[in-house]
């Protein structure tokens, strides 16, 4: 709680000095933010405020979050596959990186001394002095991995995933089309992009192949783990 009060006092002081409007409402937004979980969207924060009896416009909440970023109370991240921007508390002097599950969007924070040291080395080797850095590791968490069938349709596969083609379902026409594209059972492939809609791009050897989701639904493959 002491941390919360200290942040609140600093926030007020800075905002007053800068002549920012609606300070009392902004302090409320800050309070909800500091009490919320890490990595929250502005929509989620607006919702929390509403549940607690404070109705702020989405615009006001987002504007306040952006001010918090500007003054070092929050930082924002747009994790891949996740869509919206997520804000998190910025604890001064405490750095961390992220591991993100591409299936359930769970975010885990970590800090590795080895990675931090390697980052300095890599920069120094290229004649750079490091100011800041961000590391995001994308993967599938063990809970999601357990729930997943052994063989999945390509439309379910995620960018970066490597798989072995096991089966093609559907009529002769579909099978022929896939075959003429240069894909056959037993091929090892990598998913380049899959946004869950529109086209999906895969790499098979040195070839890039493009499928619609309908065709991707018919191709089954086993992820290589
Ligand atoms: Zn780091
Ligand atoms: Zn997961
Ligand atoms: Zn974080």
């Amino acid at each position: 709680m002491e941390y919360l009060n200290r942040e609140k006092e600093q926030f007020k002081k800075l905002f007053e000095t800068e002549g920012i409007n609606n300070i009392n409402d902004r302090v409320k937004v800050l309070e909800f933010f500091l009490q919320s979980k890490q990595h929250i969207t502005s929509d989620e924060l607006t919702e929390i405020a509403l549940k607690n009896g404070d109705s702020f416009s989405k615009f006001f909440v987002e504007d306040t979050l952006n001010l918090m970023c500007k003054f070092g109370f929050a930082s924002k991240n747009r994790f891949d596959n996740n869509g919206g921007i997520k804000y998190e508390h910025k604890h001064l002097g405490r750095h961390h990186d992220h591991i993100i599950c591409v299936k359930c969007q769970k975010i885990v924070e970590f800090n590795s001394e080895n990675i931090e040291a390697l980052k300095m080395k890599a920069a120094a080797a290229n004649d750079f002095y490091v100011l800041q850095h961000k590391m995001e590791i994308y993967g599938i968490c063990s809970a999601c991995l357990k729930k997943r069938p052994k063989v999945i349709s390509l439309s379910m596969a995620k960018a970066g995933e490597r798989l072995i083609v096991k089966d093609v379902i559907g009529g002769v026409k579909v099978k022929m089309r896939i075959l003429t594209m240069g894909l056959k059972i037993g091929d090892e492939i990598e998913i380049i992009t899959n946004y869950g809609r529109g086209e999906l791009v895969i790499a098979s050897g040195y070839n890039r192949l493009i499928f619609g989701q309908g065709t991707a639904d018919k191709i089954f493959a086993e992820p290589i783990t």
Side-chain angles (χ1 to χ4, degrees):
M1 277 304 110
E2 198 208 312
Y3 157 76
L4 218 146
N5 286 327
R6 197 176 57 219
E7 295 278 280
K8 224 168 81 179
E9 282 317 307
Q10 278 192 20
F11 182 83
K12 261 191 184 159
K13 217 195 289 172
L14 273 172
F15 275 36
E16 273 160 14
T17 317
E18 295 294 311
I20 286 157
N21 63 2
N22 300 316
I23 289 188
N24 288 339
D25 282 348
R26 299 211 191 256
V27 169
K28 279 188 187 165
V29 174
L30 175 84
E31 278 181 307
F32 289 129
F33 177 67
L34 292 178
Q35 286 162 10
S36 70
K37 63 176 170 103
Q38 297 276 63
H39 318 116
I40 193 168
T41 65
S42 58
D43 282 357
E44 285 167 343
L45 192 58
T46 309
E47 194 70 19
I48 289 174
L50 192 63
K51 271 192 193 140
N52 286 280
D54 281 303
S55 169
F56 300 125
S57 75
K58 275 183 191 177
F59 174 79
F60 181 75
V61 172
E62 203 173 297
D63 188 51
T64 306
L65 279 165
N66 285 329
L67 285 168
M68 285 188 221
C69 290
K70 183 177 169 188
F71 293 111
F73 296 93
S75 57
K76 61 174 154 185
N77 250 312
R78 176 189 282 284
F79 298 117
D80 285 6
N81 303 310
N82 251 354
I85 290 172
K86 292 199 168 170
Y87 296 84
E88 67 176 319
H89 313 171
K90 191 179 178 95
H91 299 297
L92 296 181
R94 263 192 280 161
H95 167 80
H96 68 262
D97 292 305
H98 296 106
I99 309 176
I100 303 116
C101 176
V102 297
K103 296 279 285 182
C104 68
Q105 322 292 5
K106 171 171 140 181
I107 300 170
V108 176
E109 299 185 336
F110 75 95
N111 189 289
S112 156
E113 266 177 44
N114 287 341
I115 287 178
E116 299 307 323
L118 277 176
K119 144 201 109 183
M120 303 299 271
K121 252 192 183 170
N126 289 286
D127 282 332
F128 269 79
Y129 169 71
V130 178
L131 296 175
Q132 52 174 321
H133 92 120
K134 248 185 212 180
M135 178 165 202
E136 290 164 14
I137 300 175
Y138 292 91
I140 301 175
C141 75
S142 58
C144 287
L145 217 48
K146 251 186 247 162
K147 271 186 262 164
R148 205 145 92 134
K150 244 179 102 89
V151 174
I152 58 174
S153 76
L154 284 197
S155 50
M156 302 296 292
K158 302 287 184 181
E161 197 154 21
R162 304 188 69 84
L163 312 97
I164 308 273
V165 179
K166 288 289 175 186
D167 199 8
V168 176
I169 59 165
V172 182
K173 251 170 107 181
V174 181
K175 288 183 176 165
M176 277 309 290
R177 195 171 63 219
I178 290 167
L179 203 62
T180 40
M181 285 178 87
L183 193 68
K184 53 188 192 314
I185 310 289
D187 282 354
E188 185 177 325
I189 56 166
E190 182 183 341
I191 308 294
I192 306 298
T193 52
N194 180 12
Y195 301 110
R197 66 196 131 74
E199 284 170 331
L200 182 145
V201 180
I202 71 163
S204 166
Y206 291 106
N207 293 323
R208 289 172 186 79
L209 309 176
I210 304 171
F211 298 106
Q213 292 288 332
T215 309
D217 273 342
K218 297 187 173 74
I219 304 170
F220 283 81
E222 183 179 345
I224 301 168
T225 44

